[in-house]
Amino acid sequence: MAPRRLPPVREADARGRGLGYWLIPLMATLLFAAGIAHVGYLKLANVEYFWYRPLANTYSLLISFYILSRFLLSAFYRPPRYVGYRPTLSAVIACKNEEKSIARTIDCLYASDYPEHLLEVIAVNDGSTDRTLAEMQRVKERHPKLRIIDFGRNLGKRHGMAAGARAARGEILVYVDSDSFVRRDTLARIVQGFKDPDIGAVCGHANVHNARKNFLTRMQEVRYYVAFRVVKAAESLFGAVACCSGCLAAYRRRYVMEILDVWLRQSFLGTPATFGDDRSLTNFMLRRYRVIYDSRAACSTLVPETYRQFFKQQLRWKKSWVRETFLASRFMWRRHPMAAFFFYLGGLFPLISPVVVCNAIVLPFFGVGEVSLLYIYGATLMSALYGLYYLGRLRSSLWVYGVAFSFFYMLILVWQTYYALLTVRRNHWGTR
Amino acid sequence: MSPRIRRAYRTRTFLRDAVAWLTLLTLGATAALFWHYWAYRTVLASGPGAGVVDPLIVVLAYDRVVEDVDVRHVDKEQLREQLQALQRDGFEGIGLESLARFYRGELETLPARSLVLTFDHGYLSTADAVDPILRELKWPAAMFVMTERQERRDPFFLYWPRLRRMAASGLWEIGSHGRLGHIPIQVDAAGEEGPFFIRRAWLPNEGRAENGDEFAARALRDQQVARATIEEEVGRPVLAYAPPLKDVAVATLDPEVVQAHEEALGTFHALAFVDDLFGVNDRLSDPHHLKRMRVAPRWSADVLQKRVAMAFGEAPQEASELAPWRWVPRAGEARSEGDSLVVYGPARADVWRAASQLADEWVLEADVRIESGQLWIVQESADLSEEWRWGGDAVASHLQRRQPASTVETLASFPARIEPGRMHRLKVVRRGAGVWVEWDGRPVAERPSHLPSMPRGSVGLVVWGGGEPAQLTVKNLRFSELDYRARPMPGQPSAEQVQAAIRDSPALAALSPLWLEAGRDGLREQPLDRDLLAILSRRYGWEILPTVRLRPDAAGAPVARLGEAMALVAQQNFAGLRIDTSGLPPETRQEIETWARAEESRWRRFRLLVEPPHGTLATDTTGPHRGGVRKGANS
């Protein structure tokens, strides 16, 4: 008999409930509210003087509206209710050269509070050149039911995922990255959404495992939290999460099997699509089914610790963003109007932002125009909102890295979009 | 494409979210409607409240108004204080439409103290700063826009959507400031540039500057285009025009340019404004030359209050003639030194008497001394199209008539000399159709001088230095209004009657021969010695106001008779009509006075003198400075 209720997930690491336990979120919330009010006030000027700079004002209004809408919608977000749903479940880990973490990833899956007879774990070795296969076999000694698929040569992650799906016997497919570690309750929670047959996929929540390693990982910690808890939560409200992160995502196997061959053979501009598998699989689900986010089904994942790895990962993501956003734009208008509106809006900004940044900050250094202090102020305000949100929810001093990340993004990462656009057909792997 | 692939790419239909779509569209439409009604809501719907037939209308002109304190501009708080002070003084804001209707005769009355607020150029900052104040006070205002700025989308100025919203609020009316205004254009072959509106454009293909007609056509076209543009964009008629350059006659010495401007003022708009030191208008003002007082950035509320009060002629009677703001310099500077007023400037200096433009008949007395050059006592016509002046230099004095930037016509010359460095006693009496001057206690001529036209406008003292700095010292200064005195006499006066009138000629404004008798059966003309009257009028500067005597049997329908009489008098080019009501019962006399007041407001520059006055009229005190009907004094 399955328990009717699972214990709540503690999002915050509450080390003693001192004054700060109440005070920090209170202050953060007040500051956050003040920030929102101030943004609203600034936007009034955009409306009042709209025709003086129609393009700039449209951009300014829309981007603020977009960001604020994320916060507002996410406030209405509720994770799927725990209804004691227990379908058969196949967890698939497709990996290449992950000898350090693969064992722990599999161990975590087996340590789940999920009935053993309903759970199967499939590890796919995609032609690793290190001891990954040996690690898998070592784990198999502890967990004899572990199924290992070994390609013998490298075929690509997509093939690994597909092979896992084909081999699986469970109703629900759970894809877990080989550097992500699920909690004991994660599997039990992530399947709850599937009680509704209209749900095609559920995206889990990912925390940064190595958050305190260095400056870069600290920034990513805040970034991840906001990207999941705010952006995906907002998208989830209309059942249109744009990307089920590869760290942890569950799919209804029957729906995956419908499109598996087509997905496997997907090509874009004449080149086989070999990266951004999570985003493209999500897109196939989005065509027909609802895709939601479950903030309580959490895992922790290792993020890049060096800038080189980080930039490679970001470029890969950007390229897949370019490809899949283009593909999704052909059908997203059929989705819920709010989802469609925000999808197209969200697709526009990364294309325009570099121009705006260039105009507001970069060109002035070459003597063209003046530095737009208002833009810098607005950007700071917005990034402070992200940081304060993080602080208010998690009471963590890491929040300032969120502000830093916004500037990091504005000054450095923003340019990658155009590079990704130009090189979207180049397919080589940016390995971690 | 195989069925399998097609199946994979099959998508859901948006009809699944039909409810959401409908909800969203409905919400969107509602929000758009709400926004539209909110943005274009009417704040001020009604026109001015109850008023009087003979109001005084002060027009204030502001250049740019800004939110924060700035020495170069009037700021928001300063404006608020100024308007609140004027409100406390009993002023009521009126809009251009009320004003235009008043001058068209469609609106009988305006508030006794009407105030028209005008803002020039159409600055965005002005609208931002002023709009909340207008909403607070519920006062309308006019914004004059120079449409070239909207075409160019100059970000310092208002754009059409905002102007439309302003107009929709009922608080603002949009006036025309022309299109190109002072944009520089090429004015000669060398490429010299000058303002569009006061210089003749250079025609490079023809190698010449444009002639007067071409300039006039260009000026008119500019106005026409500006007006059409505003009407099209704002969707409301443009009632008023304010020339983009303040004093064209001073800015250019080109008479044809000045002439073109004069024509432009009255061509396309119901109202036109010109700059003036006092900005006070009344029923008799020319709606195409309404005067605006330009508010300087440094004026506090107190200063503005005083200036407006002085311009209204509201200073306490006992206040010194040298009280602040009573004599205002236009060129040069003026200051009080003990009991004298000293006016000085580099080449020319002048001072102008507040409220003098409201006086038809007046007397100016003063002890004056100049240090060099010439002294003139000047009265400008209300529309600034001409002026008359008396004055001169150490050689002789003259009575002259002058049009700006044009030739001077000398009407008469006198041996009286204005010697520099010596104090002279001066007395000028302006009454009827003439002027009487006494210099050093003696008349400059045997009889008053006739003035061919009847200008009514500000009176000033002007001094030219004649190569040296101009300086004028004035003592015992007094300017006062005179009663209009008409001398009744028979249609064919005797020699004695004429001699008696000549003896009183300095103070007598008009002769009033009995011409018409009104009874039940109609008007009956009495014989009139027209030749004699014409000669007397010309020689002594008298107006001729024929008398119509109402017999008691006309009491049944006096008004109909009087209408006929008025038409007859006007047809014969007399200056007005004196109505003798002595034979009528008091209630009929009151009825006639009321009729005359209304009638006079409809006619311009036509005197209706009702005698003897009916002393019980309440309306006498409603006007700020006088009743509607001129009361004569029998002499």
Side-chain angles (χ1 to χ4, degrees), chain A residues 49 51-52 261 287-288, chain B residues 4 8 12 14 128 153 157:
Chain A
Y49 305 114
W51 291 108
Y52 288 80
D261 292 339
R287 283 172 192 272
R288 271 170 281 180
Chain B
R4 188 183 170 79
R12 60 201 272 156
F14 77 95
D128 282 344
R153 296 183 81 76
F157 296 90

Side-chain angles (χ1 to χ4, degrees), chain A residues 47-49 51-52 54 198 258-259 261-262 284 286-290 331 333-338, chain B residues 4 7-14 16-17 20-21 24 124 128 153 155 157-159 161-162 165:
Chain A
V47 174
E48 186 69 36
Y49 305 114
W51 291 108
Y52 288 80
D198 195 29
E258 288 171 8
I259 51 94
D261 292 339
V262 177
F284 273 103
L286 274 174
R287 283 172 192 272
R288 271 170 281 180
Y289 310 110
R290 287 164 59 78
F331 64 84
W333 61 272
R334 291 166 176 272
R335 302 292 309 210
H336 191 283
M338 293 289 277
Chain B
R4 188 183 170 79
R7 242 193 342 269
Y9 282 106
R10 201 178 63 227
T11 58
R12 60 201 272 156
T13 159
F14 77 95
R16 287 183 62 161
D17 296 305
W21 277 104
L24 205 69
L124 175 63
D128 282 344
R153 296 183 81 76
F157 296 90
L158 289 159
Y159 287 177
R162 179 73 181 268
R165 279 170 52 196

Side-chain angles (χ1 to χ4, degrees), chain B residues 246-266:
Chain B
K246 285 162 205 160
D247 201 341
V248 174
V250 173
T252 175
L253 293 174
D254 189 332
E256 281 182 306
V257 168
V258 176
Q259 176 71 22
H261 278 284
E262 282 302 311
E263 282 169 20
L265 283 175

